[in-house]
Amino acid sequence: MFQSLQYASVFLAFSSFAVAAETGRRAKCTVKVVRKPWDMLTSKERSAYIDAELCLMAAPSQLNIPGTETRWDDLHWNHIVQANFIHDVGQFLPWHRYYIAIHGDLLRNECGYTGPLPYWDETADSALPSLESASIFQPDAFGGNGVGSGPQKYIADGPFANSTLHLKRLGVAPADYKIYRDLNARTLIGGAQATIDACFQISTYTAAWECWAGLPHSSGHGATGGLMVDVVLSPGDPVFYLHHGWLDAMWWKWQSLDLPNRLKDMGGRNIPRESYVGNIGLPLPGPEWTNHDGDDGSVTTLNHVLYMSDMYPNVTVADVMDVRGDVVCAEYFYNDSFTFTMSRIVDGIIVFDTIIS
Ligand SMILES: [Cu+2]
């Protein structure tokens, strides 16, 4: 009974899918929201950010899907319901760009946060011998490693140790559970200089998104471990937003290298590979998704609809291509030590430039 109710609400949500796609968020971007590495926030900003996260976890749900109790659950639902449609496809980067922008909006509009939005500088932390010494995993930040001997190691310190999540994967009845983690520094190799350099050297989105979605994306999830390695449920851990903030900062830096072309450069399949969804235990997306995706064929275009489960207006990929635009309205700052290597062709020879941002 519960399962059919939950699915019914998914399909109800689709009734406004195409209409909402045309509305979008059109407020003028006047003051851009600053995004920086966690370590660049003042201690006052860090604690205000954490307080705002706790506020979202306590605020009542506005979606009122069966099982959602809090605003945090609303965000969680939005990712859960379409996990087999937003990963392993061209819209992977733009969808998550919009998703983290909405999270930032909720912090500001519903929880009164006014500071910068932090991201996890994974390149800086990729050389750490143990992630337990990383600043984001301290008790005054997001708490440390999970503890215990069970299959799920629950975090026991920091501000989120008592946070309660409610939603599970589709078809599994909601139940209270805590955030679990299993830190593993070795897997942060995907944030290492050599790995991101390989992505910076690619010149088309069609090839670059797969590079960013590969090691740089998966290693932040794997290094945090626990809930973060569940492709469906990972946004339950607030570290998710710092990880995807970093990935988006990398995509924006990549776009910035050739803005005239890369503000319009989109591509990639719009249906995930069967092997991919099979590995994460999900079915391929059906016509309830694919008939409304905004693309003419099997390739992701600028017209592709970024669906937001009725918690926020849907927009198109085109709407989020420029982070300085009205929908995202952000400005990225990078650590002083941030460097990357990109290639260019001079007289038929590939030259590698190391760029210090
Ligand atoms: Cu995701």
Side-chain angles (χ1 to χ4, degrees):
M1 173 60 189
F2 162 76
Q3 191 168 332
S4 58
L5 247 182
Q6 196 178 34
Y7 279 112
S9 49
V10 176
F11 294 122
L12 256 182
F14 284 121
S15 58
S16 57
F17 190 101
V19 178
E22 289 163 21
T23 58
R25 287 195 308 167
R26 294 284 182 261
K28 260 258 138 318
C29 174
T30 45
V31 181
K32 295 185 184 71
V33 179
V34 167
R35 299 194 188 180
K36 347 167 133 162
W38 175 250
D39 291 336
M40 284 173 70
L41 269 63
T42 65
S43 59
K44 216 170 151 189
E45 288 168 341
R46 291 184 208 174
S47 59
Y49 179 84
I50 284 170
D51 286 349
E53 289 286 67
L54 291 168
C55 158
L56 278 187
M57 290 178 181
S61 166
Q62 294 175 26
L63 261 188
N64 297 314
I65 302 284
T68 56
E69 294 184 28
T70 66
R71 269 318 241 168
W72 195 253
D73 293 337
D74 290 351
L75 268 172
H76 209 184
W77 166 258
N78 192 9
H79 191 269
I80 290 168
V81 75
Q82 52 185 323
N84 61 342
F85 190 56
I86 54 176
H87 302 112
D88 200 48
V89 288
Q91 72 154 330
F92 167 70
L93 290 174
W95 190 91
H96 287 79
R97 172 173 283 175
Y98 188 33
Y99 185 61
I100 61 172
I102 290 169
H103 166 257
D105 275 10
L106 298 185
L107 292 178
R108 301 171 74 83
N109 300 340
E110 299 183 15
C111 286
Y113 181 64
T114 56
L117 294 175
Y119 65 84
W120 179 13
D121 184 346
E122 296 181 24
T123 307
D125 281 357
S126 66
L128 288 175
S130 162
L131 277 188
E132 303 206 23
S133 58
S135 58
I136 68 162
F137 292 117
Q138 298 312 304
D140 63 350
F142 296 84
N145 205 359
V147 296
S149 53
Q152 292 177 346
K153 301 180 186 353
Y154 298 99
I155 58 171
D157 67 350
F160 304 105
N162 293 317
S163 298
T164 305
L165 308 174
H166 308 100
L167 295 176
K168 306 255 182 150
R169 287 180 172 219
L170 282 185
V172 180
D176 291 1
Y177 62 103
K178 306 282 184 197
I179 296 169
Y180 46 100
R181 260 185 222 146
D182 196 355
L183 300 182
N184 175 2
R186 279 172 306 152
T187 58
L188 206 57
I189 186 75
Q193 194 70 51
T195 315
I196 64 166
D197 280 352
C199 298
F200 277 115
Q201 285 167 31
I202 297 172
S203 58
T204 65
Y205 181 84
T206 299
W209 83 265
E210 298 226 52
C211 188
W212 291 116
L215 263 185
H217 169 239
S218 61
S219 82
H221 284 279
T224 308
L227 191 57
M228 273 283 278
V229 291
D230 187 317
V231 179
V232 180
L233 299 176
S234 50
D237 187 333
V239 165
F240 175 93
Y241 293 96
L242 275 81
H243 168 54
H244 269 276
W246 173 76
L247 195 67
D248 196 63
M250 293 300 111
W251 178 32
W252 177 246
K253 178 57 81 178
W254 179 86
Q255 287 182 284
S256 304
L257 295 172
D258 182 8
L259 274 183
N261 289 312
R262 296 182 185 177
L263 283 179
K264 296 193 192 94
D265 189 9
M266 189 40 50
R269 58 183 167 269
N270 56 16
I271 305 288
R273 291 166 298 174
E274 203 161 358
S275 57
Y276 177 87
V277 289
N279 272 339
I280 59 172
L282 297 176
L284 278 170
E288 73 278 12
W289 293 106
T290 54
N291 288 353
H292 302 280
D293 64 14
D295 298 326
D296 277 340
S298 57
V299 173
T300 308
T301 68
L302 292 172
N303 297 325
H304 189 98
V305 177
L306 304 176
Y307 175 63
M308 285 298 146
S309 308
D310 284 356
M311 74 171 297
Y312 241 64
N314 301 334
V315 298
T316 63
V317 167
D319 293 325
V320 302
M321 289 298 281
D322 191 337
V323 298
R324 305 160 306 176
D326 292 339
V327 171
V328 179
C329 194
E331 181 175 14
Y332 272 115
F333 287 81
Y334 298 83
N335 254 328
D336 290 346
S337 58
F338 179 68
T339 64
F340 57 95
T341 305
M342 66 172 286
S343 63
R344 63 199 163 99
I345 297 180
V346 181
D347 295 334
I349 297 168
I350 299 179
V351 177
F352 294 98
D353 299 318
T354 294
I355 296 169
I356 297 167
S357 156

